[in-house]
Amino acid sequence: MSRFTLPRDIYHGKGCLAELKNLKGKKAILVVGGGSMKRQGFLDKAVAYLKEGGMEVSLFEGVEPDPSVETVMKGAQAMRDFEPDWIVAMGGGSPIDAAKAMWAFYEYPDTTFEDLCVPFNFPELRQKAKFAAIPSTSGTATEVTAFSVITDYAAGVKYPLADFNITPDVAIVDPELVEALPAKQVAYTGMDALTHAIEAYVSTLHCSFTDPLALQAIEMVLDYLPASYRGNMEAREEMHYAQCLAGMAFSNALLGIVHSMAHKTGAAFSTGHITHGCANAMYLPFVIKYNAKDPVAASRYAEIARRMGLPGASTQALVNSLCRKIDHFNVQLNIPKTLQEFGIIESEFKEKIAKISELAVGDACTGSNPREIDPATMEKLFTCIYYGTEVDF
């Protein structure tokens, strides 16, 4: 038996932020990030809509990128003090992810991160509050997913939290919130969305419910991402919807080793953070070539290429067309092809890659990858990505 879970309501279209006034409750806590929503006026709008609906509103501001355990605990305490019946999270993936974890600790103060880290082990939520999510980027799709990532900086560990309980009740996908996104962020989040959809389509847990969502998301990204990157607002609106569709697919089908590798390399090198979407974009063509050595995975990639109208008379030719298309996108979006081109120091790469490979194999996303991998093979794959050499194993 499989399960397919989405938010109870997904509102989309320009101005749908106003749906906040129709939430039924007495108190709402609004969780936001570093200030872009305030600067652009959307925070004030959200507060006004909630108050118009008759709710008392409290703010929890300043959730940092890659939110910390400490921030989650502070937010949970703020919720216990205020006792909201709605948690509304607005911003990029970080404030929404943080608010999901806060929700669990608000309702169950005695639970621990260790308890929540066991996949699909959350206590039953919605005992005190429901959850609404409003994304301000077009990539993570956390507004429709069962996932959250929280960082313990003291231990140097990222906690991946997974449970259908934390799928929001309401998602408000308003494209007006992404109109001011910087081009680089459009590129990285857009390639994150493409990776979500492709990995969901070839995942070992894909099904008839997730496949149409993944294919539609892939088609929309290929149609609209370059124009969105160049500042076309109609294309940017479509990208906001595409990433949400990709999220619906991967929340239920899960992901693969592109994400495992991106999770474990983001903060691994002294030359600076590898933004998650940038890492996904670099790794995706190499992983496709690795996975396509498996005949079932190859047929799935070929089906993507065929549906997208890419050329190829054979399965292998179609797989190659898909990889070329992704490479072409990366060039258009000014994304490096290799880790060496990104700027990772060769000696540091060689020193750290064995441990990184071991951690990547142990990542939660590896289990649903269509081809198995061990640490030694993962190291070979990373080496191909570092130098840009052919994946022939």
Side-chain angles (χ1 to χ4, degrees):
M1 186 188 78
S2 300
R3 179 174 174 177
F4 184 82
T5 300
L6 297 177
R8 172 69 175 78
D9 292 296
I10 300 171
Y11 297 100
H12 54 94
K14 289 187 176 180
C16 67
L17 185 64
E19 281 300 322
L20 285 173
K21 64 188 175 187
N22 294 322
L23 298 183
K24 306 299 183 190
K26 295 179 180 178
K27 290 183 174 184
I29 188 166
L30 187 51
V31 180
V32 292
S36 64
M37 291 295 92
K38 179 182 281 188
R39 288 192 299 275
Q40 294 173 43
F42 292 114
L43 180 57
D44 287 343
K45 278 187 179 181
V47 170
Y49 287 138
L50 289 165
K51 288 182 175 178
E52 188 179 339
M55 280 202 256
E56 184 183 346
V57 182
S58 176
L59 293 180
F60 186 88
E61 301 180 71
V63 175
E64 73 275 36
D66 297 319
S68 65
V69 172
E70 289 77 14
T71 296
V72 168
M73 293 310 187
K74 285 178 188 172
Q77 185 59 55
M79 290 175 186
R80 288 193 291 270
D81 292 342
F82 184 62
E83 298 184 334
D85 43 19
W86 275 98
I87 298 165
V88 180
M90 182 167 67
S94 294
I96 299 174
D97 276 10
K100 287 177 175 180
M102 293 171 190
W103 187 16
F105 290 107
Y106 166 46
E107 298 206 354
Y108 295 92
D110 295 330
T111 198
T112 67
F113 263 103
E114 288 69 28
D115 294 334
L116 301 184
C117 282
V118 178
F120 302 95
N121 188 51
F122 271 61
E124 194 67 30
L125 296 179
R126 297 168 180 81
Q127 309 304 304
K128 297 179 180 178
K130 291 182 179 179
F131 194 100
I134 309 163
S136 67
T137 61
S138 301
T140 70
T142 188
E143 74 276 5
V144 293
T145 74
F147 307 114
S148 166
V149 179
I150 306 299
T151 302
D152 183 339
Y153 287 96
V157 174
K158 281 196 171 186
Y159 290 106
L161 309 180
D163 197 285
F164 288 118
N165 264 288
I166 57 173
T167 304
D169 298 282
V170 173
I172 294 177
V173 188
D174 188 334
E176 290 183 351
L177 274 68
V178 297
E179 289 181 352
L181 281 178
K184 184 176 284 190
Q185 198 169 3
V186 170
Y188 292 167
T189 56
M191 290 306 290
D192 190 21
L194 181 64
T195 306
H196 288 156
I198 291 176
E199 290 211 291
Y201 192 74
V202 302
S203 159
T204 57
L205 295 174
H206 79 87
C207 68
S208 299
F209 290 85
T210 60
D211 284 353
L213 293 165
L215 287 172
Q216 179 67 15
I218 294 165
E219 184 172 3
M220 290 175 74
V221 173
L222 296 184
D223 284 347
Y224 294 112
L225 180 54
S228 176
Y229 178 70
R230 294 191 298 268
N232 180 300
M233 289 304 153
E234 290 180 5
R236 194 159 296 184
E237 177 175 356
E238 295 299 328
M239 275 301 304
H240 205 41
Y241 305 150
Q243 64 87 31
C244 186
L245 294 171
M248 295 181 209
F250 89 79
S251 184
N252 292 279
L254 305 187
L255 295 165
I257 60 171
V258 178
H259 272 77
S260 302
M261 298 163 83
H263 289 157
K264 298 306 184 270
T265 51
F269 298 106
S270 63
T271 41
H273 189 77
I274 307 174
T275 304
H276 179 70
C278 178
N280 282 340
M282 285 190 289
Y283 303 164
L284 181 58
F286 293 91
V287 169
I288 290 174
K289 290 173 183 174
Y290 171 79
N291 283 341
K293 299 291 192 280
D294 175 89
V296 175
S299 69
R300 299 288 291 175
Y301 290 125
E303 181 60 24
I304 292 172
R306 194 177 294 113
R307 293 285 191 99
M308 300 309 131
L310 301 179
S314 66
T315 295
Q316 189 57 55
L318 286 162
V319 171
N320 291 342
S321 280
L322 179 60
C323 291
R324 281 196 301 272
K325 185 71 171 179
I326 296 164
D327 285 336
H328 178 62
F329 260 54
N330 286 342
V331 170
Q332 286 182 283
L333 301 171
N334 292 305
I335 293 171
K337 182 174 176 61
T338 67
L339 284 168
Q340 189 172 45
E341 187 183 331
F342 181 85
I344 304 302
I345 299 165
E346 186 176 28
S347 57
E348 186 182 11
F349 174 81
K350 289 180 175 179
E351 176 193 340
K352 292 182 174 179
I353 201 58
K355 183 62 177 177
I356 290 170
S357 298
E358 182 184 330
L359 292 171
V361 170
D363 187 86
C365 293
T366 300
S368 45
N369 193 68
R371 185 183 175 196
E372 290 188 0
I373 194 164
D374 57 31
T377 309
M378 179 68 80
E379 188 171 346
K380 286 173 67 177
L381 183 56
F382 265 124
T383 301
C384 290
I385 295 168
Y386 185 83
Y387 295 105
T389 51
E390 200 58 40
V391 178
D392 57 2
F393 47 89

